């Protein structure tokens, strides 16, 4: 009886691209891609109750660094404080606004009192300068207490400097707390652009996980630039990670605490992907949404954790 000869069926490039996209792009196209996973990000209702039983402002025992993100608006300043451990387990331990708002819910357009009302007779730039000075002084002079009673100081503060850049850099240059404060620029690095992590470092620069610290010839103030889309994805993944897995993010408060107002901000943007030389995430506001300010603060604080030395 004659044996039956078998042969492997040919695999076409299109099929391989669907079945093994990483192999297709790296081995057949000599163009490795960042393949985006089908992450399931938490929505506001779930974020609002993602708490651990810590009081506001208390630093959990495993946290090594404290970072702050500040988002500058015309009427006020949003801020969010995180305690971050070496494996990127993170805790939102405080958030708020300067000037302090007495209402439970507000928007950037309806804040009262405003910077102009607190700092009467000042120009818009001067009111922002004075407001940032007061907020940074408060945050840096506050003794953040760990659960075992040990006091901890802030490590890094990032101020979103995509708007009012010159006044923010002036503040950092003149502030006694300048060494721990960065003017911060979150930029979208496109699918056909070189990622920051592949930049060639020049003298005086420091490059990390899609962030770079540098300064230009026009100003002695160092600034921090990062890939906003990359860090939005990393932040959303960690926010969706279940405690006590490494990298999980939790909010403060006993069982039953709800952070609905904060959760709205943390669920304010949507992710899509764009492909070119590589595949990248792009984050934009949800349709009809305007309030993403604490989300910006949260993403900045996560990125600053990487600058401090946290790693997943």
């Amino acid at each position: 009886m004659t044996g039956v000869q078998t042969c492997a069926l040919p695999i076409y490039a299109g099929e391989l691209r669907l079945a093994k996209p990483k192999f297709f792009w790296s081995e057949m196209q000599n163009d490795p891609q960042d393949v985006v996973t089908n992450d399931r990000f938490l929505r506001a209702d779930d974020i609002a109750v993602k708490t651990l039983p810590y009081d506001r402002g208390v630093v959990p025992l495993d946290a090594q660094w404290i970072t702050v993100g500040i988002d500058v608006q015309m009427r006020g300043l949003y801020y969010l404080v995180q305690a971050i451990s070496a494996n990127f387990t993170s805790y939102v331990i405080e958030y708020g606004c300067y000037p302090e708002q007495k209402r439970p819910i507000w928007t950037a357009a309806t804040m009262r009192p405003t910077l102009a009302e607190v700092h009467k007779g000042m120009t818009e730039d001067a009111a922002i300068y004075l407001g940032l000075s007061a907020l940074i002084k408060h945050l840096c002079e506050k003794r953040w207490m760990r659960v075992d009673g040990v006091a901890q100081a802030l490590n890094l503060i990032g101020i979103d400097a995509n708007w009012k850049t010159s006044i923010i850099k002036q503040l950092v240059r003149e502030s006694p707390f300048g060494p721990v404060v960065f003017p911060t620029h979150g930029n979208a690095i496109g699918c056909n652009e070189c990622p920051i992590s592949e930049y060639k470092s020049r003298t005086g620069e420091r490059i990390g996980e899609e962030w770079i610290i540098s300064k230009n010839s026009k100003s002695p103030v160092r600034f921090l630039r990062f890939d906003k889309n990359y860090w939005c994805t990393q932040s959303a993944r960690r926010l969706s990670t279940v405690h006590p897995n490494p990298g999980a993010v939790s909010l403060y408060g006993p069982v039953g605490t709800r952070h609905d107002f904060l959760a709205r901000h943390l669920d304010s943007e949507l992710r899509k992907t764009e492909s070119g030389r590589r595949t990248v995430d792009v984050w934009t506001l949800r349709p009809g949404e305007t309030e993403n300010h604490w989300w910006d603060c949260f993403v900045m604080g996560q990125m600053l954790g990487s600058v401090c030395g946290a790693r997943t």
Side-chain angles (χ1 to χ4, degrees):
M1 183 175 178
T2 305
V4 178
Q5 186 176 4
T6 61
C7 64
L9 294 174
I11 298 177
Y12 296 99
E15 295 172 335
L16 190 61
R17 181 180 179 183
L18 293 174
K20 296 184 177 181
K22 288 184 178 180
F23 178 86
F24 171 82
W25 285 107
S26 62
E27 302 300 326
M28 299 188 69
Q29 302 296 312
N30 196 28
D31 186 16
Q33 301 288 297
D34 294 327
V35 180
V36 177
T37 59
N38 293 320
D39 296 291
R40 289 180 177 269
F41 298 135
L42 292 186
R43 297 304 309 273
D45 283 347
D46 294 314
I47 295 171
V49 296
K50 197 171 186 282
T51 61
L52 287 177
Y54 294 99
D55 292 332
R56 177 185 173 101
V58 174
V59 180
L61 193 60
D62 61 322
Q64 295 188 21
W65 304 286
I66 299 176
T67 68
V68 183
I70 299 177
D71 187 58
V72 179
Q73 298 294 311
M74 182 176 68
R75 298 170 70 90
L77 311 170
Y78 290 80
Y79 70 93
L80 186 143
V81 185
Q82 297 180 72
I84 300 176
S85 66
N87 67 2
F88 245 122
T89 298
S90 307
Y91 309 88
V92 174
I93 59 173
E94 185 170 311
Y95 60 94
C97 191
Y98 178 90
E100 184 179 357
Q101 303 296 295
K102 303 300 183 182
R103 294 173 294 169
I105 297 176
W106 70 88
T107 68
T110 62
M111 292 172 66
R112 295 294 299 273
T114 66
L115 287 169
E117 290 169 339
V118 171
H119 303 286
K120 296 182 183 296
M122 296 292 159
T123 65
E124 183 176 276
D125 283 2
I128 290 173
Y129 180 101
L130 293 174
L132 282 170
S133 297
L135 177 58
I136 291 171
K137 184 176 187 294
H138 164 72
L139 293 170
C140 287
E141 291 184 347
K142 179 174 179 176
R143 305 314 295 171
W144 302 88
M145 301 304 296
R146 212 165 60 187
V147 292
D148 58 359
V150 175
Q152 241 176 294
L154 287 181
N155 294 93
L156 288 178
I157 297 175
I159 306 173
D160 186 347
N162 284 343
W163 183 61
K164 298 295 185 182
T165 304
S166 60
I167 197 67
I168 291 170
K169 286 189 174 182
Q170 179 185 346
L171 167 78
V172 173
R173 186 171 63 248
E174 297 173 353
S175 172
F177 308 104
V180 300
V181 183
F182 279 106
T184 305
H185 301 275
N187 302 132
I189 308 299
C191 58
N192 292 312
E193 297 179 83
C194 177
I196 294 174
S197 57
E198 295 180 10
Y199 287 6
K200 292 183 178 179
S201 179
R202 296 177 294 186
T203 302
E205 290 183 337
R206 181 184 167 199
I207 297 174
E209 187 180 354
E210 305 312 329
W211 51 261
I212 180 170
I213 298 172
S214 57
K215 58 184 178 182
N216 57 44
S217 58
K218 297 180 180 179
S219 171
V221 176
R222 76 209 192 296
F223 60 91
L224 203 165
R225 180 172 172 251
F226 69 100
D227 185 344
K228 177 183 181 293
N229 287 323
Y230 173 87
W231 277 102
C232 281
T233 299
Q234 298 305 313
S235 300
R237 284 175 178 159
R238 289 172 188 146
L239 194 61
S240 299
T241 300
V242 178
H243 182 83
N245 286 315
V249 174
S250 303
L251 314 179
Y252 66 83
V255 175
T257 301
R258 293 190 63 92
H259 295 270
D260 291 292
F261 191 23
L262 172 64
R264 174 186 170 185
H265 285 243
L266 299 184
D267 185 35
S268 60
E269 296 192 3
L270 283 168
R271 182 185 73 163
K272 63 178 183 178
T273 61
E274 290 183 356
S275 295
R277 189 175 68 84
R278 58 195 182 107
T279 299
V280 300
D281 292 349
V282 177
W283 288 79
T284 56
L285 279 170
R286 293 185 182 277
E289 185 58 84
T290 61
E291 305 303 299
N292 65 340
H293 315 300
W294 278 320
W295 168 245
D296 287 343
C297 295
F298 175 68
V299 172
M300 264 190 287
Q302 284 284 297
M303 180 272 304
L304 290 172
S306 174
V307 176
C308 289
R311 298 289 182 271
T312 50

